[in-house]
Amino acid sequence: MTEDDLLPMPDFDPKATRRSVRRGLIRTAITVLAALIVLVLVATVGSSMIQQRGDRETRMTDVLGTAFKIYNPAYDIQVQDWGATTPLSMSFTVNARPMRAYGGFVAGYGGAEHVITQDFFGHVGRLPLGNDAKTTLSRALANVSTGNQPKKDTRKVLARLPEDLNALSVIEFARPLTTQELGAFTARYNSSAEKVVYERRPRSIPITWGGMTFWDRAPMPEDDHSIEPDQAIRLDLESFRRWVGILKDYDDDNLHDFDLSLARLRKAANDGLAYAYVDIEAKIGDLRKIIEDPLVQTVRVADTTYDLERP
């Protein structure tokens, strides 16, 4: 091939070159952007699917939601929003309102919402309330087994209050009672064990269980209005034991964040002994009788239909 056989070199066109470069850059940018979108979608969907695999989402609320309730026995806790999932975490919302004496009123009694978060690796995030929630009831529960506020001091408090007031109170026993004994005691005084303290833990919040739970899907009696007080106490203990039964060894790390441990929970559930209980509607007149029972160590009034802390 000679030089005469070669095609002539076209003249350089700067505009055409710039257009070609721009088209190449645009195609490259579009390709990269599409790839990034695909990767983000895969990461998001994939992460959500990994986090929601099996019953992981339900178990999160079963374990963490119920642990949060035990962590805050001075509050009524309800799960509001199940399993909001992001690529890096799952969370749910709870509504917490402080327990008050039946018939009492407090501003904002609708409660406050709090978010409980579990990260991609299953670790719980920073928790609200708990030991930072210094309510009168939480203080009364932390005083169980301390010897504080003996009977002679409580009698003076009860004597100053009208006997027909409803009271939120913690009735502490001189010795722990079995479920049968607790049922007989509450029946004798027409008292209601809203929550039961199942361990001795002075100066700290003890394991306390009772009321509605949002994890237990065991069938309830067909007519729950026919449940006797002693049966309600027994059913609550059975529910507590079933919940402890679903806990695994790997839950222990998260439970410590709720000021709990597997060892304490298993012992409390296995023993089933009542060290104290919470009554939300006992009359002051009834508490004056209860405190004279030899089974009772003391009674702590945490609230009445009037505000005890009102100046």
Side-chain angles (χ1 to χ4, degrees), residues 51-270:
Q51 294 194 80
Q52 295 173 340
R53 66 189 181 276
D55 65 346
R56 192 168 184 263
E57 186 176 18
T58 301
R59 193 175 188 281
M60 176 186 69
T61 52
D62 286 351
V63 173
L64 302 187
T66 305
F68 187 74
K69 182 175 180 179
I70 301 175
Y71 185 52
N72 291 285
Y75 287 78
D76 289 319
I77 308 291
Q78 295 294 330
V79 172
Q80 300 285 70
D81 179 28
W82 257 265
T85 305
T86 72
L88 298 178
S89 68
M90 292 194 299
S91 65
F92 61 96
T93 302
V94 298
N95 181 278
R97 64 180 186 177
M99 293 180 65
R100 298 297 306 264
Y102 181 77
F105 172 79
V106 61
Y109 195 56
E113 290 190 347
H114 303 279
V115 178
I116 312 301
T117 302
Q118 176 179 287
D119 68 20
F120 184 83
F121 300 101
H123 301 142
V124 68
R126 183 179 179 278
L127 293 169
L129 301 179
N131 293 324
D132 295 328
K134 304 296 185 182
T135 69
T136 52
L137 179 55
S138 64
R139 290 197 294 269
L141 289 168
N143 272 309
V144 170
S145 302
T146 62
N148 294 339
Q149 200 173 352
K151 282 188 176 184
K152 61 183 180 65
D153 293 341
T154 300
R155 289 190 185 104
K156 294 176 183 177
V157 173
L158 296 176
R160 293 197 301 265
L161 298 170
E163 67 175 11
D164 61 344
L165 285 183
N166 287 334
L168 172 67
S169 56
V170 176
I171 292 89
E172 180 185 343
F173 296 114
R175 63 169 179 84
L177 303 188
T178 65
T179 301
Q180 185 176 1
E181 290 174 325
L182 177 59
F185 180 90
T186 56
R188 184 158 62 248
Y189 294 103
N190 195 27
S191 184
S192 175
E194 182 74 11
K195 295 186 178 183
V196 178
V197 176
Y198 283 111
E199 72 170 345
R200 178 182 283 114
R201 196 180 183 222
R203 297 178 180 81
S204 299
I205 298 296
I207 292 171
T208 305
W209 183 276
M212 293 294 294
T213 59
F214 37 76
W215 77 274
D216 196 350
R217 286 167 286 280
M220 292 293 293
E222 291 184 5
D223 182 7
D224 57 6
H225 296 292
S226 66
I227 296 176
E228 297 297 325
D230 60 335
Q231 185 185 8
I233 294 169
R234 179 177 57 79
L235 290 174
D236 268 353
L237 178 57
E238 290 174 359
S239 173
F240 177 37
R241 286 171 169 167
R242 281 194 300 273
W243 179 72
V244 172
I246 74 171
L247 300 177
K248 307 297 182 185
D249 289 345
Y250 59 74
D251 290 316
D252 205 30
D253 285 343
N254 277 341
L255 290 172
H256 280 285
D257 290 324
F258 292 90
D259 195 26
L260 297 169
S261 73
L262 270 175
R264 284 174 48 216
L265 286 165
R266 286 170 176 169
K267 184 180 187 308
N270 182 64

Side-chain angles (χ1 to χ4, degrees), residues 27-37:
R27 282 196 297 268
T28 301
I30 291 173
T31 302
V32 171
L33 181 59
L36 288 174
I37 291 173

